[in-house]
Amino acid sequence: MNGEKPYRLGQLLALCSVAALTPALRLLPGASAAIAGRGGWLSILLALPAAVAYGAFLWRFGQKRREGESLPALWQRAAGEKIGAVLLALCGLWLLFYAAFTLRDSAQRLIDTVYPHADRRLFILPLGLAAAFAGAGDARRLVRCAKLVLPLPVGAVALTLFFALPELHADNLLPIAGQPLLPLLEGTLPTLDVAALILVLLLFLSDGLTGEGGYRSVAARIALLGALMAALTAAVIGAFGHELTARLAQPYFSLVRNLVFFHSLERIEALLVALWIFSDFLLTAALLHVVRRCLTPLCGESAWLPAAVGAAALLTACLLAPEASAFARLSTRWVPAANAAVCLLLIPGVYVVGRLRKRL
């Protein structure tokens, strides 16, 4: 049994929505434009049916839990107690790496946009310590915090889209009709990478849910976030063109830098970058919380496990990709590939084994 205080589906969706903004801003505008060209915004929309389908699979997996059974216990029932514990720990180690990678990403965003000469560790250490402390506690604190925070980043994106309208150039976005279909389909991969990570997070936290709530709410949230990210990507590509968008380190914040709000406010990208720390914090804390639960069957319930998980994330983040070029390669190639392997091979493999063994 999970043993934590329960929370509602709306609160969990708020956590997943805020957490999704960090990988979405890192990947979608730039990578979608690089692959699909001016149709990068359309590729995001084309990815939504596959994201909804994958989410439905994970939801069905989670619904196989028995009364009072936790998600790690379901995993072990499907794959076997010992093998399941090893595979669960393997999944947890990947999520641990992604938590460290998120800390490194947060530092790189601040360096690229506000503090170009700062040491990345100045940003990694305080954020990592706060996230480790929060991740060691109850998940309900995270979902309730996310419910309060969600309007801030979403409102910031909506405000940016409104003031970006005069900067858009139709020839940067259209026509789409004559564009080859293959790049548009390949352009769905960054969106699917983001969706897969967040849906796996939702899966591991779904055993704390209470009250009514079905998958329709999850599917609707996927569609809303996808539409928001497609609009944001269209705004960036429409303002800069797909070639420049693909070369920018932080396309969204580059767009914000060029906007004037209410005829007087300029250069507020520093404020929005600081606002995104909420997303980095909640994603990292939620991942560390799930990592602790994934490692418990193999390591046992121990007072030192949360501290060890937090320390490992901090150390990895400090050592990870010291140069910006190395971080860019890691962000666009290796991390998405490893995430796809875990989300599309490991987790479905556990489900298939459970079905073949008639344990699910």
Side-chain angles (χ1 to χ4, degrees):
M1 187 173 180
N2 190 351
E4 296 186 345
K5 296 179 181 179
Y7 37 84
R8 297 187 302 275
L9 179 59
Q11 293 174 315
L12 179 55
L13 288 178
L15 174 62
C16 292
S17 299
V18 176
L21 295 176
T22 286
L25 281 197
R26 189 186 80 250
L27 283 177
L28 296 191
S32 298
I35 299 172
R38 67 180 65 186
W41 60 274
L42 182 58
S43 291
I44 296 175
L45 297 178
L46 292 176
L48 296 184
V52 170
Y54 181 70
F57 157 70
L58 293 181
W59 186 264
R60 182 178 179 183
F61 189 3
Q63 292 297 302
K64 298 293 183 181
R65 289 185 299 109
R66 296 169 179 167
E67 184 68 25
E69 188 177 37
S70 67
L71 203 287
L74 169 66
W75 183 296
Q76 288 183 277
R77 175 159 61 87
E81 185 175 352
K82 293 182 179 180
I83 298 298
V86 172
L87 294 178
L88 192 61
L90 182 63
C91 183
L93 289 176
W94 164 244
L95 297 179
L96 175 63
F97 178 84
Y98 208 106
F101 176 74
T102 300
L103 293 174
R104 178 66 180 88
D105 178 38
S106 178
Q108 190 62 44
R109 189 188 313 115
L110 287 165
I111 292 170
D112 287 339
T113 56
V114 186
Y115 305 103
H117 303 296
D119 189 317
R120 65 191 185 282
R121 289 164 290 193
L122 293 176
F123 309 117
I124 290 173
L125 291 174
L127 179 60
L129 288 172
F133 179 79
D138 195 282
R140 192 169 73 160
R141 295 179 183 177
L142 298 178
V143 299
R144 294 175 70 178
C145 176
K147 191 74 172 179
L148 295 174
V149 167
L150 179 61
L152 295 177
V154 172
V157 172
L159 192 66
T160 301
L161 293 176
F162 177 78
F163 284 98
L165 287 176
E167 305 295 326
L168 301 187
H169 302 283
D171 54 343
N172 287 338
L173 298 171
L174 301 171
I176 296 296
Q179 191 167 350
L181 182 60
L182 184 59
L184 290 177
L185 294 179
E186 290 178 348
T188 63
L189 295 178
T191 305
L192 293 176
D193 177 72
V194 174
L197 173 72
I198 301 303
L199 288 169
V200 168
L201 183 63
L202 186 143
L203 168 69
F204 277 101
L205 295 176
S206 63
D207 57 3
L209 291 174
T210 185
E212 296 182 359
Y215 184 68
R216 286 187 179 182
S217 299
V218 180
R221 186 60 61 95
I222 293 172
L224 287 173
L225 285 175
L228 182 66
M229 289 301 106
L232 186 149
T233 301
V236 176
I237 295 176
F240 297 135
H242 67 274
E243 294 180 346
L244 178 57
T245 299
R247 293 198 300 268
L248 291 172
Q250 303 290 339
Y252 170 67
F253 296 106
S254 297
L255 174 66
V256 171
R257 184 180 294 120
N258 293 326
L259 299 180
V260 178
F261 294 82
F262 305 110
H263 304 287
S264 59
L265 294 177
E266 299 183 61
R267 303 300 302 269
I268 66 167
E269 68 275 9
L271 176 62
L272 293 186
V273 169
L275 183 62
W276 242 256
I277 292 177
F278 287 114
S279 177
D280 302 331
F281 164 74
L282 286 170
L283 175 58
T284 305
L287 288 172
L288 293 177
H289 178 85
V290 172
V291 169
R292 176 168 55 86
R293 296 186 59 203
C294 288
L295 295 179
T296 295
L298 195 64
C299 301
E301 288 282 357
S302 175
W304 58 264
L305 185 58
V309 166
L314 275 172
L315 179 60
T316 304
C318 289
L319 298 177
L320 193 62
E323 303 297 330
S325 58
F327 176 79
R329 289 192 298 272
L330 192 67
S331 174
T332 57
R333 298 179 186 178
W334 303 114
V335 169
N339 190 56
V342 172
C343 297
L344 302 180
L345 295 178
L346 178 60
I347 296 177
V350 170
Y351 179 82
V352 169
V353 169
R355 296 289 290 177
L356 292 176
R357 292 167 52 127
K358 301 186 184 302
R359 299 290 182 89
L360 298 179

